[in-house]
Amino acid sequence: MAEKARGKIFPFTFPCTICKDFVDELGGMFLFLLESAMLIFAGWGQFPKIIRQVYFIGVQSVSVIALIGLFSGMVMGMQLYYALATFGADGFLGTGVALSMVRELAPVLTAIMLTGRAGSAMTAEIGVMRISEQIDALTIMDINPMRYLVAPKLAASLICFPILTAFFNLIALWGGWLTGVKLLGANEGVYWSRVTDALEWVDIEGGFIKSIVFGILVCTICTFEGYYTHIRSGHSGPEGVSQSTTNAVVKSCVVILASDYVMTSLLW
Amino acid sequence: MKSSTAPNIRLENLTIGYGGNPVVKDLNIEFPGGKLSMVIGGSGSGKSTLLKHILQLQPPISGEIFIGEHNMGKLSRRERHCIRQRTGVLFQDGAMLGSLKLIDNIALPLREHTKLSEEQIMRIVQDRLAMMGLGHALELYPNELSGGMRKRAGLARALVMDPQVLFCDEPTSGLDPVMSAELDQLLLEMMCHFDMTMVVVTHDLASMRGLADHVVILGESKCLYQGTIEELEKTEDPYLRRFLDRAAEERDAPRLTMAPISQEMMKLNCNSIMGEKDTVRKDPQCSS
């Protein structure tokens, strides 16, 4: 009887369980974010930790961001030049490169690259600390692990994501100039004047808002996944850490693209 | 003989486990203040789980834990803060923070919780590390230390705040007998040096005989014994007797010798490995 009833209920309970788990995790992540955001300001002792994280997340990512920015700008310059030249509108190359980069590609690509470089490292670091009892040791020493480990990473992400996005923009515009103007022969003066004319403050502001939101999302997802590595059912120890790291990167990338769509709809 | 001011630890009707599934039920145990108590039991008997619950890293399913007069489940934030600062823990692998040098690892609790100057902190840290015989390793990272050194470093960190209670999770696991004996000796010296209650979770029966003032034996999801080692030696309980005899055997164990495996046994082993139906193995020993 019970088996029969379970069979009838199962088609409904399964999606309900998934929804419940999703809402549970979302709620957990939100509270995790709130707590770590408040702990950023837990005394001057946080300052050196934040600086260390800025070095790790920001300074050490400069070369990767520069490379990605350069090649994205070069590809964009080349493709747009060919497309626009078909209609004799190659003068609008600067407009196309500037708007696409500043509004969309720079925040998204920067966030995805930082997820791969710094986000995965955050998850792995915190996950290893969890399975090797280092987080328990912090708790026992009455040092809040959220304050010690998570809050400085969140603060550093808030600082680094917009700065690296701005850096990406600069390099990408220069990359567009390199292919569009230097390789394919578009007019240099027209290119730069279109760049400055096309960009308005609202575009730059929108790009920064996106990068800040991406910074919060990536840091929260990656640190959350690492922090709760030990309660991942079916995976414990090093396997749990690798699973958490994979989850963190995949979830971050999906959330970046989904939230990008939502923010683009709302901002422009 | 001076009387100890270190608190006792009392467990009342404590049932512990994970996710509502009990591992050990209805524990009523008292670890006497100022003494070295040892929690012994086989693998999976709930020793480390008990430690995690006493340390409030896991909430108990039911029951209460008292350290001194403080009910650990009903502490205010400030009380919890005070008790944690007076509690040291030596984790199984030391649990040193991998990103910090040894000196910074040991100094961490002092930097976080005291207003001591950096000079005073360094003096205390160097003193503790010298006590552990690690005065030369200040600038090393935890991954540059051997297993025994990591445990001694963990002990130095556990003692840096002058705790009243020290918990050790399997302090001698993974160490060779010489190193184990050295660490046991170190624990005894620390007991004499600091007035504290020490609870050691272990399955090292030799350590139990050498160190324990008070013994708790866990098994079959309950507390099988608590009392002094002398009382334990006199017990008639068959399970505990077997346990103690095993300890004696371990101490006086003869060297194991290699005996040649008989043809019958070889055949049996091959069949059990390959399954009874699988008889096409090329090995002539097996197919014969």
Side-chain angles (χ1 to χ4, degrees):
Chain A
M1 186 70 188
E3 283 296 314
K4 220 173 183 179
R6 203 174 297 141
K8 278 183 183 168
I9 294 167
F10 181 73
F12 303 103
T13 54
F14 184 63
C16 287
T17 311
I18 292 178
C19 286
K20 183 185 164 292
D21 289 348
F22 177 72
V23 173
D24 257 4
E25 187 159 340
L26 214 60
M29 252 183 221
F30 182 67
L31 294 176
F32 185 85
L33 168 64
L34 276 189
E35 190 179 348
S36 49
M38 284 190 290
L39 289 168
I40 291 174
F41 308 101
W44 287 107
Q46 292 293 79
F47 191 66
K49 293 177 202 129
I50 293 171
I51 297 294
R52 257 199 303 278
Q53 289 301 322
V54 167
Y55 176 75
F56 171 70
I57 298 171
V59 178
Q60 293 194 334
S61 302
V62 165
S63 54
V64 179
I65 295 298
L67 270 178
I68 300 298
L70 177 68
F71 289 116
S72 306
M74 286 171 73
V75 167
M76 189 56 74
M78 190 179 283
Q79 290 289 8
L80 276 181
Y81 180 84
Y82 287 135
L84 292 169
T86 319
F87 308 104
D90 53 321
F92 285 97
L93 179 66
T95 309
V97 173
L99 287 181
S100 57
M101 283 297 160
V102 172
R103 282 181 169 191
E104 292 298 332
L105 286 176
V108 170
L109 288 179
T110 305
I112 288 176
M113 283 316 296
L114 287 176
T115 302
R117 210 205 71 79
S120 57
M122 285 183 210
T123 311
E125 181 197 346
I126 296 177
V128 167
M129 289 183 78
R130 172 61 80 184
I131 62 163
S132 61
E133 295 184 312
Q134 292 177 43
I135 292 183
D136 287 346
L138 285 172
T139 309
I140 296 301
M141 288 188 282
D142 203 33
I143 297 169
N144 186 341
M146 294 281 287
R147 173 174 66 79
Y148 189 82
L149 295 173
V150 182
K153 289 179 170 56
L154 181 64
S157 298
L158 285 171
I159 295 166
C160 294
F161 272 64
I163 292 175
L164 286 173
T165 301
F167 182 62
F168 187 107
N169 278 329
L170 284 178
I171 300 282
L173 289 175
W174 187 74
W177 166 82
L178 204 66
T179 45
V181 175
K182 287 291 165 190
L183 289 179
L184 299 171
N187 186 291
E188 183 169 4
V190 173
Y191 177 84
W192 288 116
S193 71
R194 290 288 183 189
V195 167
T196 48
D197 288 349
L199 284 178
E200 290 178 20
W201 177 242
V202 69
D203 301 314
I204 296 165
E205 191 185 50
F208 278 135
I209 290 172
K210 278 185 178 183
S211 66
I212 289 170
V213 172
F214 293 157
I216 293 170
L217 291 173
V218 169
C219 182
T220 306
I221 292 169
C222 292
T223 49
F224 182 84
E225 286 289 333
Y227 200 82
Y228 293 110
T229 291
H230 62 308
I231 54 170
R232 190 167 300 288
S233 59
H235 299 279
S236 57
E239 197 190 344
V241 177
S242 76
Q243 187 69 37
S244 298
T245 310
T246 309
N247 278 354
V249 172
V250 171
K251 280 181 190 170
S252 297
C253 291
V254 170
V255 167
I256 286 167
L257 294 172
S259 60
D260 182 50
Y261 171 74
V262 173
M263 281 190 286
T264 303
S265 316
L266 294 175
L267 286 168
W268 291 286
Chain B
M1 191 175 157
K2 70 172 182 183
S3 64
S4 172
T5 55
N8 61 348
I9 298 163
R10 213 167 66 248
L11 314 179
E12 288 184 0
N13 304 318
L14 187 71
T15 297
I16 53 174
Y18 298 101
N21 302 318
V23 176
V24 191
K25 292 175 200 163
D26 278 330
L27 289 174
N28 284 291
I29 297 174
E30 182 158 356
F31 299 105
K35 303 272 186 200
L36 196 153
S37 302
M38 280 203 157
V39 182
I40 302 251
S43 298
S45 59
K47 305 182 298 288
S48 297
T49 306
L50 175 62
L51 195 62
K52 279 190 176 161
H53 282 79
I54 296 175
L55 294 168
Q56 301 287 296
L57 294 172
Q58 288 282 334
I61 294 172
S62 64
E64 283 165 341
I65 300 164
F66 292 86
I67 294 186
E69 293 308 311
H70 299 281
N71 183 339
M72 295 297 282
K74 292 175 183 163
L75 292 178
S76 67
R77 207 181 164 88
R78 183 173 286 276
E79 284 172 324
R80 188 183 299 268
H81 184 70
C82 290
I83 287 192
R84 284 217 159 127
Q85 285 188 27
R86 289 285 170 208
T87 305
V89 182
L90 167 57
F91 285 90
Q92 203 164 346
D93 196 36
M96 309 299 285
L97 303 189
S99 57
L100 300 181
K101 287 178 182 171
L102 197 52
I103 192 166
D104 296 320
N105 257 299
I106 314 297
L108 186 63
L110 294 170
R111 285 186 182 140
E112 291 283 335
H113 298 307
T114 67
K115 290 189 165 65
L116 295 174
S117 68
E118 197 56 26
E119 195 184 332
Q120 288 170 308
I121 289 175
M122 283 303 120
R123 216 171 24 245
I124 296 171
V125 170
Q126 282 169 356
D127 174 57
R128 292 292 183 276
L129 283 171
M131 275 173 138
M132 303 298 147
L134 290 172
H136 61 286
L138 297 173
E139 296 296 319
L140 296 180
Y141 283 93
N143 64 352
E144 296 171 311
L145 304 176
S146 69
M149 287 166 86
R150 262 206 298 277
K151 296 217 179 191
R152 280 185 283 152
L155 188 55
R157 188 179 63 186
L159 294 172
V160 81
M161 294 286 284
D162 291 337
Q164 289 185 316
V165 184
L166 179 68
F167 295 95
C168 305
D169 187 8
E170 310 239 5
T172 55
S173 73
L175 300 183
D176 65 67
V178 176
M179 200 75 90
S180 295
E182 275 179 14
L183 197 70
D184 284 346
Q185 185 61 38
L186 199 57
L187 287 175
L188 263 185
E189 283 169 17
M190 292 307 115
M191 267 295 288
C192 297
H193 195 275
F194 300 92
D195 176 29
M196 60 184 172
T197 305
M198 201 186 280
V199 177
V200 179
V201 166
T202 183
H203 53 235
D204 186 344
L205 299 169
S207 290
M208 178 188 80
R209 285 178 189 277
L211 292 181
D213 297 314
H214 183 83
V215 178
V216 171
I217 300 182
L218 298 182
E220 299 169 352
S221 302
K222 60 184 179 187
C223 173
L224 296 172
Y225 173 82
Q226 62 170 317
T228 62
I229 187 103
E230 290 80 16
E231 287 163 0
L232 179 63
E233 300 280 6
K234 291 176 199 155
T235 185
E236 294 299 323
D237 183 284
Y239 182 90
L240 295 177
R241 213 50 268 164
R242 211 164 58 235
F243 196 81
L244 290 172
D245 292 345
R246 179 74 193 132
E249 273 171 32
E250 262 183 27
R251 197 182 47 205
D252 311 325
R255 184 178 152 73
L256 296 175
T257 53
M258 276 204 292
I261 299 175
S262 66
Q263 287 290 318
E264 298 271 313
M265 182 67 84
M266 179 77 87
K267 200 168 178 179
L268 197 68
N269 278 347
C270 290
N271 281 344
S272 65
I273 291 165
M274 299 175 70
E276 281 179 23
K277 286 177 185 168
D278 189 358
T279 54
V280 285
R281 190 160 166 182
K282 295 285 185 284
D283 189 341
Q285 291 268 33
C286 293
S287 55
S288 63

